[in-house]
Amino acid sequence: MVRVLGLLLALALGGAALAQGPGVGERPPLERLLLGPLPEGYSGFSLSARLLLWSVPWSLAGALGGILSEDPKGRSFWLTNALWTSVNSAVALVGLLSPEPSRAELRDILYLNAALDLLYIAGGLWLATRPDPRLQGAGWAVGLQGGFLLVFDLYHALVLGE
């Protein structure tokens, strides 16, 4: 576990060099990659770093909440969050290690993801209305994660469209 966290930290702090392509200058400071406007030439890398920065703590909190919860609904909620954000972490790692997409390609991917996020929210709300408390907990987690991703994807797609 410590090795994985070390790798994630190393990628977040120094992995920007992997995304450098022709015509891209020195790597922007970490604060610029994680916060504020997306740096030119580092849009995909920045989005992946931002997603990873959000998903790793949520994965840990979800796992801990799932372990500590005695209520089936709460346990399901937290463990579903842990699973969902672990997948987000994997997606972010792939983004960190992949070639930098064009802004137009990235914007199109984000709009497609936003449409999928609406389906996640709808599916989560449907699960939340089921009689089984475990399905209710999972449903609220899926709805929450879908809602966050909808805001994340739409915000960044709109910023990239400027």
Short mmCIF file of all heavy atoms in Angstrom, two decimals, residues 65-102:
data_model
loop_
_atom_site.label_atom_id
_atom_site.label_comp_id
_atom_site.label_asym_id
_atom_site.label_seq_id
_atom_site.Cartn_x
_atom_site.Cartn_y
_atom_site.Cartn_z
N GLY A 65 -14.77 4.02 6.08
CA GLY A 65 -16.18 4.11 6.45
C GLY A 65 -16.88 2.77 6.31
O GLY A 65 -17.72 2.40 7.15
N GLY A 66 -16.56 2.01 5.26
CA GLY A 66 -17.16 0.70 5.06
C GLY A 66 -16.76 -0.29 6.13
O GLY A 66 -17.58 -1.09 6.59
N ILE A 67 -15.50 -0.23 6.54
CA ILE A 67 -15.01 -1.13 7.58
C ILE A 67 -15.65 -0.80 8.93
O ILE A 67 -16.04 -1.69 9.68
CB ILE A 67 -13.47 -1.06 7.68
CG1 ILE A 67 -12.85 -1.69 6.42
CG2 ILE A 67 -12.96 -1.73 8.94
CD1 ILE A 67 -11.37 -1.42 6.28
N LEU A 68 -15.79 0.48 9.23
CA LEU A 68 -16.28 0.91 10.54
C LEU A 68 -17.79 0.90 10.67
O LEU A 68 -18.32 0.86 11.78
CB LEU A 68 -15.73 2.30 10.87
CG LEU A 68 -14.22 2.41 11.00
CD1 LEU A 68 -13.82 3.85 11.27
CD2 LEU A 68 -13.70 1.48 12.08
N SER A 69 -18.50 0.95 9.55
CA SER A 69 -19.96 1.03 9.60
C SER A 69 -20.58 -0.32 9.95
O SER A 69 -20.22 -1.35 9.38
CB SER A 69 -20.50 1.52 8.25
OG SER A 69 -21.90 1.61 8.31
N GLU A 70 -21.50 -0.29 10.86
CA GLU A 70 -22.23 -1.51 11.23
C GLU A 70 -23.59 -1.58 10.54
O GLU A 70 -24.21 -2.63 10.49
CB GLU A 70 -22.38 -1.59 12.75
CG GLU A 70 -21.05 -1.74 13.44
CD GLU A 70 -21.17 -1.78 14.95
OE1 GLU A 70 -22.28 -1.99 15.46
OE2 GLU A 70 -20.13 -1.62 15.61
N ASP A 71 -24.06 -0.46 10.05
CA ASP A 71 -25.34 -0.36 9.36
C ASP A 71 -25.18 -0.83 7.92
O ASP A 71 -24.28 -0.35 7.21
CB ASP A 71 -25.81 1.11 9.41
CG ASP A 71 -27.02 1.38 8.56
OD1 ASP A 71 -27.97 0.57 8.63
OD2 ASP A 71 -27.03 2.40 7.85
N PRO A 72 -26.02 -1.75 7.42
CA PRO A 72 -25.87 -2.24 6.04
C PRO A 72 -25.96 -1.12 4.99
O PRO A 72 -25.23 -1.13 4.01
CB PRO A 72 -27.03 -3.23 5.87
CG PRO A 72 -27.48 -3.57 7.23
CD PRO A 72 -27.11 -2.44 8.13
N LYS A 73 -26.84 -0.16 5.21
CA LYS A 73 -26.97 0.95 4.26
C LYS A 73 -25.70 1.81 4.25
O LYS A 73 -25.18 2.16 3.20
CB LYS A 73 -28.19 1.79 4.63
CG LYS A 73 -28.51 2.89 3.67
CD LYS A 73 -29.79 3.60 4.09
CE LYS A 73 -30.18 4.71 3.18
NZ LYS A 73 -31.44 5.34 3.62
N GLY A 74 -25.18 2.13 5.45
CA GLY A 74 -23.96 2.93 5.56
C GLY A 74 -22.75 2.19 5.00
O GLY A 74 -21.93 2.77 4.29
N ARG A 75 -22.65 0.91 5.33
CA ARG A 75 -21.53 0.11 4.81
C ARG A 75 -21.55 0.08 3.28
O ARG A 75 -20.53 0.28 2.63
CB ARG A 75 -21.59 -1.29 5.37
CG ARG A 75 -20.45 -2.19 4.87
CD ARG A 75 -20.52 -3.52 5.54
NE ARG A 75 -20.26 -3.31 6.96
CZ ARG A 75 -19.32 -3.93 7.64
NH1 ARG A 75 -18.57 -4.83 7.06
NH2 ARG A 75 -19.13 -3.67 8.91
N SER A 76 -22.72 -0.14 2.72
CA SER A 76 -22.86 -0.18 1.27
C SER A 76 -22.52 1.17 0.65
O SER A 76 -21.84 1.24 -0.38
CB SER A 76 -24.29 -0.59 0.91
OG SER A 76 -24.47 -0.60 -0.47
N PHE A 77 -22.98 2.24 1.29
CA PHE A 77 -22.67 3.59 0.80
C PHE A 77 -21.16 3.81 0.74
O PHE A 77 -20.62 4.21 -0.29
CB PHE A 77 -23.33 4.64 1.71
CG PHE A 77 -22.94 6.05 1.38
CD1 PHE A 77 -23.55 6.73 0.35
CD2 PHE A 77 -21.95 6.71 2.10
CE1 PHE A 77 -23.20 8.04 0.04
CE2 PHE A 77 -21.58 8.01 1.80
CZ PHE A 77 -22.21 8.67 0.77
N TRP A 78 -20.48 3.53 1.84
CA TRP A 78 -19.04 3.81 1.90
C TRP A 78 -18.23 2.88 1.00
O TRP A 78 -17.31 3.33 0.31
CB TRP A 78 -18.55 3.75 3.34
CG TRP A 78 -18.98 4.94 4.11
CD1 TRP A 78 -19.89 4.98 5.13
CD2 TRP A 78 -18.56 6.29 3.90
NE1 TRP A 78 -20.06 6.26 5.56
CE2 TRP A 78 -19.25 7.10 4.83
CE3 TRP A 78 -17.67 6.91 3.03
CZ2 TRP A 78 -19.08 8.47 4.91
CZ3 TRP A 78 -17.50 8.28 3.11
CH2 TRP A 78 -18.20 9.04 4.04
N LEU A 79 -18.58 1.61 0.98
CA LEU A 79 -17.82 0.69 0.14
C LEU A 79 -18.05 0.95 -1.35
O LEU A 79 -17.13 0.81 -2.16
CB LEU A 79 -18.15 -0.76 0.49
CG LEU A 79 -17.65 -1.22 1.87
CD1 LEU A 79 -18.09 -2.65 2.16
CD2 LEU A 79 -16.13 -1.09 1.98
N THR A 80 -19.26 1.36 -1.71
CA THR A 80 -19.51 1.73 -3.11
C THR A 80 -18.71 2.98 -3.48
O THR A 80 -18.14 3.05 -4.59
CB THR A 80 -21.01 1.95 -3.35
OG1 THR A 80 -21.72 0.75 -3.02
CG2 THR A 80 -21.29 2.32 -4.79
N ASN A 81 -18.63 3.94 -2.57
CA ASN A 81 -17.78 5.12 -2.82
C ASN A 81 -16.33 4.70 -3.02
O ASN A 81 -15.65 5.20 -3.92
CB ASN A 81 -17.87 6.11 -1.65
CG ASN A 81 -19.01 7.07 -1.81
OD1 ASN A 81 -19.06 7.82 -2.77
ND2 ASN A 81 -19.94 7.04 -0.87
N ALA A 82 -15.84 3.79 -2.17
CA ALA A 82 -14.45 3.34 -2.28
C ALA A 82 -14.20 2.67 -3.63
O ALA A 82 -13.20 2.94 -4.30
CB ALA A 82 -14.11 2.38 -1.14
N LEU A 83 -15.13 1.82 -4.05
CA LEU A 83 -14.99 1.13 -5.32
C LEU A 83 -15.04 2.11 -6.49
O LEU A 83 -14.20 2.08 -7.39
CB LEU A 83 -16.08 0.07 -5.48
CG LEU A 83 -16.09 -0.70 -6.78
CD1 LEU A 83 -14.80 -1.50 -6.94
CD2 LEU A 83 -17.29 -1.63 -6.84
N TRP A 84 -16.01 3.01 -6.45
CA TRP A 84 -16.19 3.98 -7.53
C TRP A 84 -14.95 4.87 -7.67
O TRP A 84 -14.46 5.09 -8.78
CB TRP A 84 -17.42 4.83 -7.22
CG TRP A 84 -17.92 5.61 -8.39
CD1 TRP A 84 -17.46 6.83 -8.81
CD2 TRP A 84 -18.95 5.25 -9.29
NE1 TRP A 84 -18.16 7.24 -9.92
CE2 TRP A 84 -19.08 6.28 -10.22
CE3 TRP A 84 -19.79 4.15 -9.39
CZ2 TRP A 84 -20.02 6.25 -11.25
CZ3 TRP A 84 -20.72 4.13 -10.41
CH2 TRP A 84 -20.83 5.16 -11.32
N THR A 85 -14.45 5.37 -6.57
CA THR A 85 -13.30 6.28 -6.65
C THR A 85 -12.00 5.53 -6.94
O THR A 85 -11.07 6.14 -7.46
CB THR A 85 -13.19 7.14 -5.38
OG1 THR A 85 -13.14 6.28 -4.23
CG2 THR A 85 -14.36 8.09 -5.25
N SER A 86 -11.96 4.24 -6.63
CA SER A 86 -10.79 3.45 -7.05
C SER A 86 -10.74 3.35 -8.57
O SER A 86 -9.66 3.44 -9.17
CB SER A 86 -10.84 2.06 -6.42
OG SER A 86 -10.73 2.15 -5.03
N VAL A 87 -11.89 3.17 -9.18
CA VAL A 87 -11.95 3.15 -10.65
C VAL A 87 -11.55 4.53 -11.19
O VAL A 87 -10.78 4.63 -12.16
CB VAL A 87 -13.35 2.74 -11.14
CG1 VAL A 87 -13.48 2.93 -12.65
CG2 VAL A 87 -13.64 1.30 -10.76
N ASN A 88 -12.02 5.60 -10.56
CA ASN A 88 -11.62 6.95 -10.97
C ASN A 88 -10.11 7.12 -10.87
O ASN A 88 -9.49 7.77 -11.72
CB ASN A 88 -12.32 8.01 -10.13
CG ASN A 88 -13.77 8.18 -10.49
OD1 ASN A 88 -14.20 7.81 -11.57
ND2 ASN A 88 -14.52 8.76 -9.57
N SER A 89 -9.51 6.57 -9.81
CA SER A 89 -8.05 6.65 -9.65
C SER A 89 -7.34 5.94 -10.80
O SER A 89 -6.34 6.44 -11.33
CB SER A 89 -7.62 6.05 -8.32
OG SER A 89 -8.14 6.77 -7.24
N ALA A 90 -7.85 4.78 -11.18
CA ALA A 90 -7.24 4.03 -12.28
C ALA A 90 -7.36 4.83 -13.59
O ALA A 90 -6.40 4.91 -14.36
CB ALA A 90 -7.90 2.66 -12.42
N VAL A 91 -8.53 5.43 -13.82
CA VAL A 91 -8.72 6.26 -15.02
C VAL A 91 -7.74 7.43 -15.00
O VAL A 91 -7.12 7.77 -16.02
CB VAL A 91 -10.18 6.75 -15.11
CG1 VAL A 91 -10.35 7.83 -16.17
CG2 VAL A 91 -11.11 5.58 -15.38
N ALA A 92 -7.58 8.05 -13.83
CA ALA A 92 -6.65 9.18 -13.71
C ALA A 92 -5.21 8.75 -13.98
O ALA A 92 -4.46 9.47 -14.64
CB ALA A 92 -6.78 9.81 -12.33
N LEU A 93 -4.82 7.59 -13.48
CA LEU A 93 -3.45 7.10 -13.73
C LEU A 93 -3.22 6.85 -15.21
O LEU A 93 -2.16 7.17 -15.73
CB LEU A 93 -3.19 5.83 -12.92
CG LEU A 93 -2.93 6.04 -11.44
CD1 LEU A 93 -2.85 4.70 -10.71
CD2 LEU A 93 -1.65 6.84 -11.22
N VAL A 94 -4.21 6.28 -15.88
CA VAL A 94 -4.08 6.08 -17.33
C VAL A 94 -3.90 7.44 -18.01
O VAL A 94 -3.07 7.60 -18.90
CB VAL A 94 -5.30 5.32 -17.89
CG1 VAL A 94 -5.32 5.36 -19.41
CG2 VAL A 94 -5.30 3.89 -17.39
N GLY A 95 -4.69 8.44 -17.59
CA GLY A 95 -4.56 9.78 -18.15
C GLY A 95 -3.19 10.40 -17.90
O GLY A 95 -2.66 11.10 -18.76
N LEU A 96 -2.63 10.14 -16.73
CA LEU A 96 -1.30 10.69 -16.42
C LEU A 96 -0.21 10.08 -17.29
O LEU A 96 0.76 10.74 -17.63
CB LEU A 96 -0.95 10.44 -14.95
CG LEU A 96 -1.67 11.29 -13.92
CD1 LEU A 96 -1.35 10.80 -12.51
CD2 LEU A 96 -1.30 12.76 -14.06
N LEU A 97 -0.39 8.83 -17.66
CA LEU A 97 0.64 8.12 -18.41
C LEU A 97 0.41 8.13 -19.92
O LEU A 97 1.25 7.67 -20.68
CB LEU A 97 0.74 6.68 -17.91
CG LEU A 97 1.12 6.54 -16.43
CD1 LEU A 97 1.01 5.10 -15.98
CD2 LEU A 97 2.51 7.11 -16.18
N SER A 98 -0.71 8.66 -20.36
CA SER A 98 -1.05 8.69 -21.78
C SER A 98 -0.55 9.97 -22.44
O SER A 98 -0.32 10.97 -21.76
CB SER A 98 -2.57 8.62 -21.95
OG SER A 98 -3.06 7.41 -21.45
N PRO A 99 -0.41 9.94 -23.75
CA PRO A 99 -0.04 11.17 -24.46
C PRO A 99 -1.11 12.24 -24.26
O PRO A 99 -2.29 11.93 -24.10
CB PRO A 99 0.04 10.75 -25.92
CG PRO A 99 0.09 9.27 -25.92
CD PRO A 99 -0.54 8.80 -24.65
N GLU A 100 -0.69 13.47 -24.28
CA GLU A 100 -1.61 14.61 -24.08
C GLU A 100 -2.55 14.72 -25.28
O GLU A 100 -2.12 14.84 -26.41
CB GLU A 100 -0.79 15.89 -23.93
CG GLU A 100 -1.61 17.11 -23.63
CD GLU A 100 -2.20 17.10 -22.23
OE1 GLU A 100 -1.58 16.56 -21.31
OE2 GLU A 100 -3.30 17.64 -22.08
N PRO A 101 -3.88 14.66 -25.04
CA PRO A 101 -4.83 14.82 -26.15
C PRO A 101 -4.94 16.29 -26.54
O PRO A 101 -4.56 17.19 -25.77
CB PRO A 101 -6.15 14.31 -25.57
CG PRO A 101 -6.04 14.58 -24.11
CD PRO A 101 -4.57 14.43 -23.77
N SER A 102 -5.50 16.54 -27.71
CA SER A 102 -5.77 17.93 -28.09
C SER A 102 -6.89 18.45 -27.22
O SER A 102 -7.67 17.67 -26.65
CB SER A 102 -6.16 18.02 -29.57
OG SER A 102 -7.46 17.49 -29.75
#
